[in-house]
Amino acid sequence: MQKLVINGEKRLCGELKVQGAKNSALPLLAACMLVNGETRLTNCPRLSDVFAAVRILGCLGCKCSVSGDSVTVSAQQPCGCCVPEELMREMRSSIVFLGAVLGRVGECMLSFPGGCELGPRPIDMHLFALRKMGAVITEQHGELMCSCPVGLHGADITLPFPSVGATENIILAAALADGDTIIKNAAREPEITDLANFLLRCGARISGAGSDTITVRGVQSLHGCEYSVMPDRIAACTYLTAAAITGGEITLTGAEASDLDSFLKVLELSGCSVYTYSDRIFLSGTPTLRPVGMVRTMPYPGFPTDAQALATALLTQARGTSVIVETIFENRFHHVSELVRMGANIRVEGKVAIIEGVKDLYGANVMAADLRGGAALVLAGLAAQGTTTVSNIRLIDRGYEEIEKALASLGADIERK
Ligand code: EPZ
């Protein structure tokens, strides 16, 4: 098993281009299934989850080729409707294929995604919405069998919570459905807007993406296009924090600052100087980080749950007490016990983490328990005295393209072993 070995206390400085967004590339690849023709996605991050999505498309009868950061998908004659269980297990978010496969082929079989390292991951909202659109879904022995004998039709759907995945699945199912679908209390994440923009480019009729009410008017067919995946906002937050936690300076290029507003505000509160330009963000760190009061994770445009662990790592180094409340996932504080091994002073009470800043962190052997929590351990290792070894890094590799090369290019002493 590979590990990341970090010798900390190096000030990170330099310029870095942000990778394409994993959480946008996955629904976009699912959307390619709807297109009667060839689609080329560029700026696609080279990550294990993206390769798993490409393998799923292959199982569904699409022809795919990957070259550098571009993926070409030809879905002229999709002939499969079954997502193999091992691919469902490998990537929980493969549930986003359900809406697209149903919409294009009229039936879909996949296994229930089950829980993951963040706790239970129910899909009740996805199934409720698809049933409202005419899908007949049976669940048996962990398998989901879905069909729409007379095709999918538009529906008025009010989500009880603005779920990102459910909103994506509904948009995908609605793109070729008969009539109008209105999604109320829709997720407003930038990845939803990216999916809608891609589908619009392919001839879909969608309005309201980015707001809490999205309308999709079903069309007969979609045509291929070339589309560049949006920049990864959580990777951007990660590299900004790497500079902030080491008192360094970074220019992030290819980044969309407006997508990062709530996170940039926390960086500023902590004493960093942040300047944003049309396609770049400049951050200059401070030798004395300040505590930031209370941060609550919320659906977009609130503070992202995916950046919670990153902020926790940063605030271990502030001169005072900060509080983080995790409201989205039940079980997203696995990184805390590992940060404590490195000398952090953090107490978790239910959904709340109370972080008392400490002067120094110390290198230790720590283990990633999930993707963003693993990245937080790497960040702590950059600031810590001595050597930190992070194991189980396959979880980090799910979301970051060669994280060690990106950090080393900024002056970090980090190696994959
Ligand atoms: C997406 O997951 C992201 N994944 C997650 O990023 C991210 O943390 C999450 O959105 C929230 O922003 C991808 O885009 C691939 P949700 P998703 O449906 O769509 C509950 C990362 O680190 N819920 O918005 O699965 C659910 O349990 C990953 O890159 C239901 O109860 O998230 C959770 O508590 C991790 N029933 C909350 O809603 C449902 O049917 C938000 O989940 C669906 C969700």
Side-chain angles (χ1 to χ4, degrees):
M1 271 226 295
Q2 290 188 323
K3 295 180 162 86
L4 288 174
V5 180
I6 306 156
N7 292 308
E9 293 188 293
K10 307 276 183 295
R11 196 167 164 260
L12 266 55
C13 292
E15 187 173 304
L16 191 68
K17 182 178 178 298
V18 184
Q19 68 186 56
K22 164 181 85 80
N23 289 349
S24 188
L26 299 176
L28 291 182
L29 285 164
C32 291
M33 175 78 190
L34 292 169
V35 173
N36 189 7
E38 192 174 278
T39 313
R40 184 159 173 261
L41 295 179
T42 56
N43 200 33
C44 232
R46 280 153 290 183
L47 300 169
S48 50
D49 275 11
V50 168
F51 299 134
V54 168
R55 291 210 299 284
I56 290 176
L57 284 168
C59 296
L60 297 169
C62 303
K63 292 199 183 81
C64 306
S65 65
V66 180
S67 166
D69 73 351
S70 77
V71 179
T72 305
V73 181
S74 172
Q76 254 117 357
Q77 284 167 329
C79 52
C81 64
C82 181
V83 180
E85 187 176 347
E86 73 269 16
L87 289 172
M88 274 309 285
R89 282 192 191 282
E90 192 173 323
M91 187 179 65
R92 187 207 166 273
S93 45
S94 28
I95 189 66
V96 78
F97 277 87
L98 177 55
V101 178
L102 257 188
R104 182 76 193 275
V105 186
E107 55 181 338
C108 181
M109 263 171 296
L110 40 75
S111 57
F112 212 84
C116 75
E117 55 277 356
L118 305 182
R121 301 284 293 270
I123 53 165
D124 51 316
M125 290 185 232
H126 302 239
L127 303 187
F128 154 78
L130 293 171
R131 283 186 170 119
K132 264 199 113 174
M133 298 177 72
V136 177
I137 304 175
T138 51
E139 300 166 49
Q140 224 175 24
H141 312 303
E143 295 286 315
L144 279 174
M145 274 151 310
C146 314
S147 61
C148 42
V150 288
L152 291 173
H153 55 75
D156 271 18
I157 298 162
T158 302
L159 291 174
F161 179 86
S163 155
V164 175
T167 304
E168 290 166 347
N169 244 332
I170 301 168
I171 293 174
L172 290 166
L176 296 177
D178 184 17
D180 290 358
T181 299
I182 301 171
I183 315 168
K184 296 191 183 119
N185 200 24
R188 290 184 281 165
E189 269 68 3
E191 291 76 13
I192 303 284
T193 311
D194 210 33
L195 174 62
N197 286 341
F198 167 75
L199 287 168
L200 284 168
R201 189 81 70 79
C202 298
R205 297 183 67 184
I206 303 174
S207 61
S211 79
D212 63 0
T213 305
I214 300 175
T215 304
V216 184
R217 173 157 291 182
V219 295
Q220 287 287 318
S221 70
L222 296 174
H223 54 76
C225 74
E226 181 165 328
Y227 191 81
S228 176
V229 178
M230 65 176 275
D232 194 309
R233 60 197 172 99
I234 307 300
C237 294
T238 306
Y239 295 119
L240 288 168
T241 309
I245 203 168
T246 60
E249 272 185 13
I250 189 172
T251 303
L252 272 187
T253 61
E256 185 54 63
S258 59
D259 292 346
L260 270 62
D261 254 2
S262 58
F263 191 79
L264 296 181
K265 281 196 184 104
V266 168
L267 288 173
E268 282 179 327
L269 275 176
S270 75
C272 297
S273 306
V274 180
Y275 303 92
T276 61
Y277 305 92
S278 59
D279 68 336
R280 59 186 55 215
I281 304 171
F282 173 77
L283 175 139
S284 173
T286 165
T288 43
L289 283 162
R290 293 194 299 256
V292 298
M294 187 188 287
V295 176
R296 287 174 77 87
T297 64
M298 295 294 276
Y300 191 85
F303 188 90
T305 173
D306 291 344
Q308 176 261 109
L310 315 175
T312 304
L314 179 73
L315 295 170
T316 64
Q317 296 292 275
R319 302 280 161 88
T321 309
S322 311
V323 175
I324 295 196
V325 186
E326 171 57 60
T327 74
I328 308 289
F329 287 107
E330 265 177 41
N331 210 351
R332 214 168 189 181
F333 282 131
H334 291 301
H335 47 284
V336 166
S337 55
E338 302 299 275
L339 290 171
V340 168
R341 282 167 71 95
M342 298 176 71
N345 182 354
I346 310 173
R347 207 169 69 248
V348 173
E349 290 172 9
K351 294 172 158 188
V352 182
I354 300 138
I355 308 158
E356 308 278 356
V358 292
K359 190 164 171 298
D360 296 306
L361 292 173
Y362 302 96
N365 294 331
V366 289
M367 192 169 93
D370 62 81
L371 160 58
R372 308 301 171 186
L377 300 179
V378 172
L379 295 173
L382 295 172
Q385 289 179 14
T387 305
T388 298
T389 303
V390 184
S391 57
N392 210 19
I393 58 171
R394 70 185 170 82
L395 292 175
I396 301 177
D397 291 335
R398 290 178 71 164
Y400 297 91
E401 257 181 4
E402 301 185 312
I403 191 169
E404 73 283 9
K405 288 196 182 150
L407 292 170
S409 76
L410 298 169
D413 180 345
I414 178 169
E415 251 189 302
R416 183 181 288 259
K417 283 193 174 153

